[in-house]
C-alpha cells in the first residue's frame, strides 16, 4: 500500500496539448476566400482582360471596397460581441449629410471630419444605451435608429444633394493625393483593418468581446462588465460609420440622404462569409475584409460584363447561403 509521501511525490500526468489542427478551419476559411478572389480574377482576366486587369480598375475595386469595408470592421466587432447593427447605412447617410451642410463646410476639412465622427459616435451611443442599459433587443433598437437616422438625413438635406465646396476635401479624391499610386481612402481602410485586427486579437477589449459574445452570463460571473462592453461595441460601430461617411464624402464630393443604402446588409453578409458567427463569440477581421473584397469584385465583374443587377444579387445570396451552411456544418461537427 502506498504511503501518503509516495503518493504526493508522484509527478502529475502531463496536460494534454490542444492539437494544432483545431485552428485549421480558420486558416482554411481564409484560404478559401482567397481562392474565390483568385477564381474571380481569372474570370475577369478571361472575359475582360484589358479592362479588368487595368490598374485603374483594380484601384477602383479597392476604393469601392474601402467605404463599406470600414463599416464592416465595426459591424464585425458588434456581431462577435453577440449583437447586430442594422443602422450603419443610415448612420453613414446622416453623418455625410450633416457634414456637407453649408454651416458645417464653413469649418473646413477638420470641421467636416469632426462632424462625421461625432454623428457616428452619437448614434452609436444611443444604440448602445438602448441595448445595454435599456435593455432593448439589438434588432429593434438598431432598426429604430435606421428609421430615425434616415428621416433626419432627409429632413436636413430636404431630399437634395449637398455639394462639397471645400477644396481640401475634394483634393483628397484626386490622383495628386495618391501615395505610391494608392488613394488615401484605401490607406484609411487598410489602417482601420489593421487596427481592428490588433484590437480584436491583441487586447483585453478583444478578448472580452469574444467572451461576451460567446457566453454573456459566464462573462459576467468572471467579472466582465457586460453592459459596458456592449455599449463600447456600438460606440465602435458608430465611429467606423463616421469614418466611412467622411470617406464617402471624399469619394462622391457630396452628401445625400440616400448614401449608405443597404450597407447594413452588405456589411453583415461580408462578415458572415468571412467566418463571423451570427450567434456571436467568433469572427475575424481578416475574414471580413476578404468578404468585402469578394463582394466588391463580383460587383465589378458584373458591371464590366454588362450583366443585370438581379443576377448579381442572386449570386451574392448563393454565396451567403453557402457560407452559413459551411459554418453550421463546422459548429455541429
Amino acid at each position: 500500500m502506498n504511503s501518503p509521501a509516495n503518493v504526493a511525490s508522484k509527478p502529475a500526468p502531463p496536460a494534454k496539448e490542444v492539437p494544432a489542427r483545431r485552428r485549421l478551419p480558420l486558416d482554411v476559411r481564409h484560404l478559401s476566400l482567397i481562392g474565390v478572389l483568385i477564381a474571380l480574377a481569372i474570370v475577369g482576366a478571361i472575359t475582360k482582360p484589358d479592362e479588368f486587369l487595368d490598374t485603374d480598375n483594380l484601384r477602383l475595386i479597392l476604393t469601392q471596397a474601402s467605404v463599406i469595408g470600414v463599416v464592416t470592421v465595426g459591424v464585425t466587432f458588434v456581431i462577435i460581441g453577440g449583437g447586430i447593427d442594422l443602422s450603419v447605412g443610415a448612420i453613414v447617410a446622416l453623418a455625410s449629410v450633416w457634414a456637407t451642410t453649408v454651416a458645417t463646410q464653413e469649418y473646413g476639412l477638420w470641421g467636416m471630419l469632426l462632424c462625421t465622427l461625432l454623428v457616428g459616435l452619437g448614434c452609436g451611443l444611443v444604440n448602445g444605451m438602448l441595448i445595454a442599459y435599456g435593455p432593448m433587443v439589438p434588432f429593434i433598437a438598431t432598426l429604430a435608429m435606421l428609421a430615425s437616422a434616415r428621416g433626419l438625413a432627409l429632413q436636413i438635406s430636404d431630399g437634395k444633394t449637398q455639394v462639397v465646396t471645400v477644396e481640401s476635401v475634394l483634393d483628397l479624391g484626386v490622383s495628386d493625393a495618391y501615395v505610391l499610386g494608392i488613394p488615401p481612402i484605401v490607406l484609411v481602410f487598410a489602417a482601420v483593418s489593421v487596427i481592428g485586427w490588433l484590437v480584436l486579437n491583441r487586447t483585453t477589449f478583444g478578448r472580452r468581446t469574444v467572451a461576451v459574445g460567446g457566453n454573456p452570463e459566464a462573462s459576467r460571473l468572471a467579472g466582465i462588465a457586460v453592459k459596458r462592453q456592449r455599449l463600447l461595441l456600438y460606440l465602435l460601430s458608430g465611429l467606423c460609420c463616421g469614418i466611412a461617411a467622411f470617406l464617402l464624402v471624399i469619394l462622391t464630393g457630396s452628401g445625400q440622404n440616400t448614401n449608405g443604402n443597404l450597407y447594413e446588409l452588405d456589411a453583415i453578409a461580408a462578415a458572415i462569409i468571412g467566418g463571423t458567427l451570427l450567434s456571436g463569440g467568433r469572427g475575424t477581421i481578416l475574414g471580413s475584409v476578404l468578404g468585402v473584397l469578394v463582394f466588391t469584385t463580383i460587383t465589378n465583374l458584373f458591371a464590366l460584363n454588362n450583366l443585370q443587377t438581379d443576377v448579381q444579387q442572386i449570386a451574392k445570396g448563393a454565396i451567403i447561403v453557402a457560407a452559413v451552411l459551411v459554418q453550421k456544418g463546422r459548429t455541429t461537427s
Side-chain angles (χ1 to χ4, degrees):
M1 187 172 181
N2 295 331
S3 63
N6 292 334
V7 174
S9 62
K10 289 183 179 180
K16 293 183 179 180
E17 294 184 358
V18 178
R21 65 172 179 269
R22 289 192 179 181
R23 295 192 299 269
L24 188 60
L26 188 62
D27 299 331
V28 169
R29 184 162 48 247
H30 292 164
L31 290 174
S32 64
L33 288 173
I34 293 173
V36 171
L37 281 173
I38 293 174
L40 291 173
I42 293 174
V43 172
I46 294 174
T47 57
K48 295 287 183 178
D50 295 333
E51 299 176 28
F52 181 80
L53 298 178
D54 184 71
T55 303
D56 290 336
N57 184 62
L58 297 178
R59 190 183 292 119
L60 175 63
I61 293 175
L62 292 176
T63 301
Q64 291 177 337
S66 296
V67 178
I68 185 62
V70 171
V71 174
T72 302
V73 171
V75 168
T76 300
F77 272 92
V78 170
I79 297 177
I80 293 175
I84 198 73
D85 194 345
L86 301 179
S87 63
V88 289
I91 295 175
V92 169
L94 177 59
S96 68
V97 165
W98 209 320
T100 53
T101 59
V102 175
T104 306
Q105 291 193 52
E106 291 179 356
Y107 293 95
L109 183 152
W110 295 109
M112 295 174 66
L113 174 59
L114 180 62
C115 179
T116 58
L117 297 182
L118 289 178
V119 171
L121 285 171
C123 293
L125 177 63
V126 174
N127 280 336
M129 292 297 292
L130 290 175
I131 294 166
Y133 298 97
M136 187 176 290
V137 178
F139 182 90
I140 300 300
T142 57
L143 185 63
M145 176 58 71
L146 182 156
S148 301
R150 283 287 178 195
L152 185 56
L154 177 61
Q155 186 179 53
I156 292 174
S157 65
D158 196 25
K160 301 175 182 177
T161 299
Q162 299 178 164
V163 179
V164 176
T165 58
V166 180
E167 293 296 332
S168 56
V169 174
L170 298 175
D171 289 343
L172 293 174
V174 300
S175 58
D176 290 341
Y178 292 178
V179 179
L180 299 177
I182 303 175
I185 293 176
V186 178
L187 295 176
V188 172
F189 173 39
V192 170
S193 300
V194 171
I195 293 172
W197 184 91
L198 291 173
V199 170
L200 182 61
N201 296 281
R202 295 290 184 268
T203 67
T204 303
F205 180 85
R207 291 190 290 273
R208 287 176 177 173
T209 299
V210 174
V212 168
N215 193 325
E217 183 60 22
S219 300
R220 185 185 66 82
L221 295 175
I224 297 176
V226 175
K227 292 183 178 180
R228 184 180 65 185
Q229 187 69 20
R230 286 174 174 164
L231 172 61
L232 292 175
L233 288 173
Y234 282 96
L235 279 172
L236 177 60
S237 179
L239 176 63
C240 288
C241 289
I243 296 172
F246 188 72
L247 297 183
L248 191 59
V249 168
I250 295 174
L251 187 62
T252 62
S254 64
Q256 304 177 56
N257 66 286
T258 56
N259 282 343
N261 187 35
L262 297 181
Y263 271 19
E264 55 278 355
L265 300 183
D266 289 342
I268 293 171
I272 290 173
I273 71 168
T276 301
L277 289 180
L278 273 175
S279 55
R282 192 180 76 186
T284 67
I285 299 299
L286 176 58
S288 295
V289 170
L290 290 173
V292 170
L293 292 176
V294 167
F295 280 145
T296 307
T297 305
I298 290 175
T299 302
N300 183 264
L301 278 175
F302 274 71
L304 289 178
N305 288 278
N306 296 319
L307 296 176
Q308 296 180 356
T309 305
D310 54 354
V311 181
Q312 172 185 324
Q313 298 301 328
I314 293 173
K316 285 185 177 181
I319 293 175
I320 296 171
V321 171
V324 172
L325 290 177
V326 169
Q327 280 188 1
K328 185 176 180 181
R330 283 174 177 163
T331 54
T332 57
S333 60

